[in-house]
Structures are given as structure tokens and as C-alpha cells.
């Protein structure tokens, strides 16, 4: 992990106009700048770059952020990768900080796999350029297929020689762990226990993650061998799952964002030829049906997809399968079929860039209209055939979340198929309701499974901070959202008022006077003890407490938007960025609110709201336990009723405090 001082050094140096200016053309507007937003189809400059606040914000689509978050979004990098990018830009060496043993083990194992793949890639690349067999067979193959040396180098294409142990020997020479190579599917054991290469006599297509690491390989054999597949791919590993990866995404992502469209095709060679010709916003599903995870990767870059497949039966089926997956992810989908006998590779090789662009523009077709055409051709114009077509289309239209879009398609289908709009709408509503119920049942099944797991009873809540040490052996309550209810408002309070000093606040330790961070920490100790805080919020509080002890004048928002915990970073960055939209009236209100008494009221309301939610959860838990206990067990019933009474009394007190009782900096809950 990156050393905190290094992060601060880099981000203190990073200026938003300087960083954004590397990617966009800036136009001065007063003391600030504007630019065309890269995150949507912007025709007039909507991206505002504030040099005083060191953040940017698009007032059309809402995207923006600090220098590091802008780089993360624009270049599709993780937080550490973005920091390293900025470090290189400003000539600052990135220093890694010491990890915990568990973090070190996880990082070490993953790095071992990444390094092993990088070693294999380098050996395959070396073999195709430096080895006699590689140049004679591998390099010649790609050149014959029309792939230039420039493309071969950019995509790091390689060759695995015919030697049984080419990679094995080089791994032994370099000290690369053979078991790691075996785990990655690069080598395998014989019955005798010897290691041999798995990709022998194949050209190699490295598969890159969106950040550029090699996570797997595809290998194509160049001669016919009985009972041997033409292609083999890496097996599933910690790094690679073929249903999650899109070939070429690392090279295409910037072009997809710029064009606001992604073209999905099928194979490695299709991507290479199209990209080389100039159609660079292209990726491949690598022989697998398009999956929801793959579409989600695309959705981070654009909502527009064109499915480009061969015009044969397999290509049409692939397009129809991909259509529903894309619609379910709220994508706008077009389908494009190539002329008979053509695939993207051959089409790119035999046409100019202008020809290809013209063909795409003239022949890509709305995905649902394409489906209508295909289904009508298959099922005919009989009443039974029409019914089948309508049902198939209703299943697809039901995936569309936007009501207006859904109704427009239903209107088109109603007119075309000569069926009433009411009947179609009713059928789609039935499908959507059935799917909704299936999702609910699936979620309930998960909840029931979790509830059946043994859990210790939560101790009583008190709104007063506990004396002595907080017990750490109480199991925490798991929450789906990265933050528990009401934690985000508290985060926002801390960003705005975390260092505001409340002079007469009395801490549990007896200390008089505390800042906002200390107040929130002090008043949430009890709920932390019973597992009522999320891991992310606890981490944030701990970091802030430590930081404010070292620097009472710290900027909370600045600190949180520099944390390597990407969940805390994201939510803090969103809040800091969105404050750009606030009016001068709000700024005046914030200034007025900064009075001690007003700040403590705000903090206490959010803390008590958090506690009220937890108490309500406890009440529900006890009621459920009462309904399930043996009614003849009077002692247990009395115990549960006593707990219920205590929880309800606490709920009543907190509700009263939230409703009509005054807050004081000297107490947490007035009895």
C-alpha cells in the first residue's frame, strides 16, 4: 500500500487545471476554467474546473471530482493506480507503506500470480521476435493474417515454441515458482510428475485486465491435430475468469469513452484487425456468450453498445442472447450483421476505414427491431407464429427500466403486430412483476439463511458512553450497504464541522471541550460495542481521531478524499464535489451553522437517528424471538418481555429527544 506521506505529497502537488488539462482543452472563465465534459456527449462546455477548490464538476451529468478521482474516472484506474500516475506526472517517487501480515499475504499471492503471467508474456514475446521458430511460424502467421508488427507489439502477441519444456526451463532459470505457473494453467504435470508446457506450438494472445495487467492467455494452434481444440484459454484463477474479461478492453477503453459507444465482436483476430484498421472502440467476448459482468465493465465507459456478428445462424443467436443481457443492464443496444461470408477480421482486411464506418452507420439496427425481424422470419405470419414473436419480444422489453422507452417500444410493437397496446402492456407488466417476485424470494432466501446462522444476543444499548474498556468480542451486525443507515449524514457532518470546537462539551473521560470528530467518536462508542457501526465508518472515525490528535487544524474532506479505502474515498469525494452546486445562500447558512450550539445539535441528531435505527432493529429481533419461543417457558418469556420493555423505553427516549427535547453539549440524552 502507498505510504500516506507520499499520497499527501503527490495530491498536494496535483492541481486540478493542470491534471484535467492533460486530457481536455480548457477555456478560461474568470479565475476558473470550463471544458467539454468527457463523461457524456457534451456540445457546450459543461465541465467547470475550480482552481480555488481544486475540484472539477460537470453541471450536466454530475461527474467530476478531485485531481485523483478525475484521473480514476477518466483513465479507469484504481485509487493506488491513479496516485502512481500523478506521482509519475510530477516526478514524485511512490513509496509503499508496511502492510499487515494478512494484507501482505494477499498482496504477495496476487503479485506472485501477476508476476508469473508477466514472465510468461515476456518469454512468449521474446520467442516470437528473437527465436528462429517463433519468427518462422508465429510472426509469419500474424503477418500473413495482415497484422502489422506495430499491432503485434502493442497487443504483446507471442509464440510458444514446440519444445516440451521451453517455459519450464526458463522459469527454473529465473527462479519462478512452477506451482504458480501450474495454477495459472501455463504448465502442467505429466503422469510421471514432470512439468511440461501447456501452450506448445501456439500463437499467444495475452488477455489484459482493464488496468493493463496480464490476467490470462489465449493460444491458437497452427496445425491440425486430432481431438485438439483450435484454441485453449487460461483456466479460472484468482486473476482470471473468462466470463468477467473482455479481450482488448484495456486498449479500447479510452476510445469507447470518447466515441460513447462500444462495439462487441467475438474473437481475438476480429479485435486486432478492426483496431488496426482504426475502429478502436472494439472488444471481444472471446468465444463466450456475453455476460452481465462483461456488460457492466462496458457500462462504466458508455451506455451504447453495438453487437457486431457474422450473418450466419451462430452470429444471429449470439446477437439475440447479448441483446437481453444488455437491456437488463439498461444499455442502448444496436445489432449489426456483416455481409454473408464475412467476419470482422476479413471485413476489416478488405475494406478501408471509411468503408467500414459507412457500413456501420448504414446497417446497424435497433436491437429490438432486429429481434422482431429475426423472429418473424423464423416463426412466420400465422396467429400462432405472431403469438410466439410477441411473447419473445415482451420478455425482452420487460428488461427495460425506463418507462418512457418501454412504452415507446410497446407502441411500435402494438402497431406492427396488430395487437392492442393494453394487452401488450399488461403482459410486460406481468413479466416484470414475476421477475420482481423471483428477486424478492431470492433475497429473502439469503436473509433467512443469514438469520438461521447462530448469533449472540445483542446487549442492551445505552446512549451514555460505557465506562472502562469497550468489549471487542461482540459480533458485528453485517450490512449490505457499505455504510449503515445515517452514517453518511454523519460523514458529511464531519467533513463540514469535524474540527469545529465545542467548548463546553463533556467527554466520557471527563475532558471538557471537544471538536466534532471527538463528539461523534465519543457518542458512538456504545453502538460500536454492539456491532452497530459499519467497518468503513469505524475505520473512518479511527483515522480521523488519530489525525486530529496530530493536527487539530486538519481538513477532514481533504483527508478522506486521500484515503486508500476506495469506499470511503468514493463517498467523501462525491460529497466534496457535489458541494460545488450549492448556492451562496447555502454558504451563508453553513457559516451561521458553524456556531458551537448549532453544530452539536446537528451532530447529536444524526447520532441519535443512528441509535434509534439500531434500537428499532433490536425491538424487531426481540419480537421475533418472542413469537418463536415455547410459550410454556415462562422464565424465558419474562426475560424477553423485560428486554422488549427496556428497548421500547430507550426508543421512546430517543424519539422524544429527536422530536421535541433540547440538546445540550453536556449530555447525550436527557431523561
Amino acid at each position: 500500500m502507498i505510504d500516506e506521506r507520499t499520497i499527501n505529497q503527490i495530491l498536494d502537488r496535483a492541481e486540478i487545471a493542470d491534471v484535467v488539462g492533460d486530457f481536455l482543452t480548457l477555456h478560461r472563465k474568470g479565475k476558473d476554467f470550463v471544458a467539454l465534459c468527457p463523461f457524456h456527449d457534451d456540445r457546450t462546455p459543461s465541465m467547470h474546473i475550480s482552481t480555488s477548490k481544486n475540484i472539477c464538476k460537470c453541471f450536466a451529468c454530475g461527474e467530476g471530482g478531485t485531481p485523483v478521482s478525475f484521473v480514476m474516472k477518466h483513465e479507469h484506474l484504481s485509487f493506488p493506480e491513479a496516485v502512481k500516475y500523478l506521482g509519475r506526472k510530477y516526478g514524485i517517487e511512490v513509496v509503499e507503506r508496511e502492510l499487515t501480515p494478512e494484507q501482505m499475504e494477499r498482496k504477495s499471492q496476487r503479485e506472485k500470480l501477476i508476476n508469473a503471467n508477466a514472465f510468461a508474456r515476456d518469454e512468449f514475446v521474446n520467442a516470437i521476435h528473437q527465436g528462429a521458430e517463433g519468427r518462422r511460424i508465429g510472426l509469419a502467421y500474424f503477418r500473413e493474417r495482415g497484422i502489422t508488427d506495430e499491432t503485434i507489439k502493442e497487443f504483446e502477441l507471442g509464440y510458444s515454441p514446440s519444445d516440451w519444456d521451453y517455459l519450464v526451463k526458463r522459469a527454473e532459470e529465473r527462479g519462478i515458482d512452477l506451482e504458480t505457473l501450474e495454477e495459472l494453467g501455463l504448465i502442467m504435470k505429466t503422469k510421471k510428475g514432470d512439468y511440461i508446457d501447456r501452450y506448445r506450438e501456439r500463437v499467444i494472445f495475452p488477455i489484459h485486465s482493464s488496468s493493463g495487467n496480464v490476467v490470462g492467455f489465449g493460444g491458437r494452434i497452427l496445425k491440425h491435430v486430432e481431438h485438439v481444440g483450435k484454441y485453449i484459454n487460461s483456466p479460472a484463477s484468482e486473476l482470471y475468469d473468462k466470463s468477467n474479461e473482455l479481450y482488448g478492453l484495456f486498449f479500447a477503453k479510452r476510445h469507447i469513452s470518447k466515441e460513447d459507444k462500444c462495439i462487441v465482436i467475438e474473437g481475438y483476430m476480429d479485435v486486432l484487425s478492426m483496431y488496426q484498421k482504426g475502429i478502436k472502440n472494439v472488444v471481444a467476448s472471446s468465444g463466450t456468450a456475453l455476460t452481465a459482468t462483461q456488460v457492466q465493465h462496458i457500462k462504466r465507459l458508455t451506455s451504447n453498445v453495438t453487437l457486431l456478428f457474422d450473418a450466419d445462424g451462430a452470429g444471429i443467436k449470439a446477437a439475440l442472447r447479448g441483446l437481453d443481457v444488455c437491456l437488463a443492464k439498461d444499455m442502448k443496444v444496436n445489432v449489426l450483421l456483416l455481409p454473408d461470408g464475412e467476419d470482422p477480421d476479413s471485413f476489416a482486411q478488405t475494406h478501408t476505414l471509411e468503408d467500414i464506418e459507412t457500413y456501420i452507420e448504414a446497417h446497424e439496427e435497433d436491437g429490438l427491431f432486429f429481434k422482431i425481424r429475426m423472429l418473424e422470419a423464423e416463426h412466420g405470419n400465422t396467429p400462432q407464429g405472431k403469438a410466439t414473436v410477441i411473447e419473445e419480444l415482451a420478455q425482452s422489453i420487460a428488461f427495460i427500466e425506463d418507462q418512457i422507452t418501454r412504452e415507446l417500444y410497446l407502441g411500435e410493437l402494438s402497431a406492427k403486430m396488430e395487437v392492442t397496446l393494453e394487452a401488450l402492456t399488461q403482459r410486460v407488466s406481468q413479466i416484470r412483476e414475476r421477475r420482481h417476485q423471483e428477486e424478492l424470494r431470492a433475497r429473502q432466501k439469503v436473509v433467512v439463511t443469514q438469520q438461521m446462522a447462530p448469533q449472540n444476543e445483542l446487549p442492551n444499548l445505552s446512549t451514555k458512553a460505557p465506562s472502562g474498556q469497550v468489549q471487542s468480542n461482540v459480533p458485528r451486525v453485517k450490512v449490505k450497504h457499505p455504510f449503515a443507515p445515517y452514517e453518511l449524514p454523519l460523514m458529511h457532518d464531519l467533513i463540514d464541522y469535524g474540527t469545529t470546537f465545542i467548548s463546553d462539551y463533556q467527554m466520557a473521560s471527563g475532558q471538557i471541550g471537544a471538536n466534532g470528530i471527538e463528539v461523534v467518536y465519543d457518542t458512538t462508542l456504545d453502538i460500536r460495542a454492539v456491532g452497530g457501526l459499519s467497518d468503513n465508518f469505524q475505520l473512518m472515525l479511527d483515522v480521523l481521531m488519530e489525525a486530529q490528535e496530530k493536527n487539530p487544524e486538519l481538513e477532514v474532506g481533504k483527508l478522506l478524499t486521500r484515503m486508500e479505502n476506495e469506499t470511503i474515498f468514493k463517498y467523501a469525494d462525491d460529497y466534496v464535489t457535489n458541494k460545488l452546486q450549492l448556492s451562496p445562500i447555502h454558504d451563508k447558512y453553513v457559516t451561521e451553522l458553524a456556531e458551537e450550539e448549532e453544530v452539536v445539535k446537528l451532530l447529536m441528531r444524526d447520532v441519535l437517528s443512528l441509535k434509534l435505527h439500531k434500537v428499532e432493529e433490536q425491538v424487531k429481533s426481540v419480537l421475533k424471538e418472542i413469537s418463536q419461543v415455547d410459550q410454556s417457558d415462562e422464565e424465558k418469556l419474562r426475560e424477553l418481555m423485560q428486554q422488549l420493555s427496556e428497548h421500547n423505553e430507550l426508543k421512546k427516549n430517543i424519539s422524544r429527544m429527536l422530536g421535541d427535547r433540547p440538546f445540550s453539549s453536556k449530555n447525550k440524552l436527557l431523561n
Side-chain angles (χ1 to χ4, degrees), residues 350-378:
T350 55
H351 292 78
T352 66
L353 174 60
E354 184 180 357
D355 289 341
I356 298 171
E357 290 175 335
T358 301
Y359 184 87
I360 291 174
E361 185 177 351
H363 292 85
E364 65 180 345
E365 181 179 8
D366 178 274
L368 281 169
F369 293 161
F370 168 81
K371 186 168 186 176
I372 292 175
R373 197 161 56 82
M374 294 299 105
L375 290 173
E376 283 183 329
E378 180 181 355

Side-chain angles (χ1 to χ4, degrees), residues 396-449:
S396 292
I397 292 173
F399 282 117
I400 301 173
E401 288 298 323
D402 182 73
Q403 183 177 351
I404 294 175
T405 305
R406 198 166 61 242
E407 289 183 359
L408 287 172
Y409 277 114
L410 287 171
E412 292 277 355
L413 181 60
S414 170
K416 184 170 184 59
M417 304 305 293
E418 299 176 336
V419 63
T420 66
L421 180 59
E422 292 74 16
L424 282 176
T425 302
Q426 182 181 12
R427 179 57 187 143
V428 168
S429 296
Q430 289 171 348
I431 295 169
R432 287 175 60 80
E433 178 61 25
R434 187 199 74 224
R435 289 176 183 167
H436 176 65
Q437 293 301 325
E438 288 173 351
E439 290 174 3
L440 281 179
R441 284 194 292 271
R443 286 200 293 268
Q444 289 168 355
K445 185 176 180 181
V446 172
V447 171
V448 169
T449 302

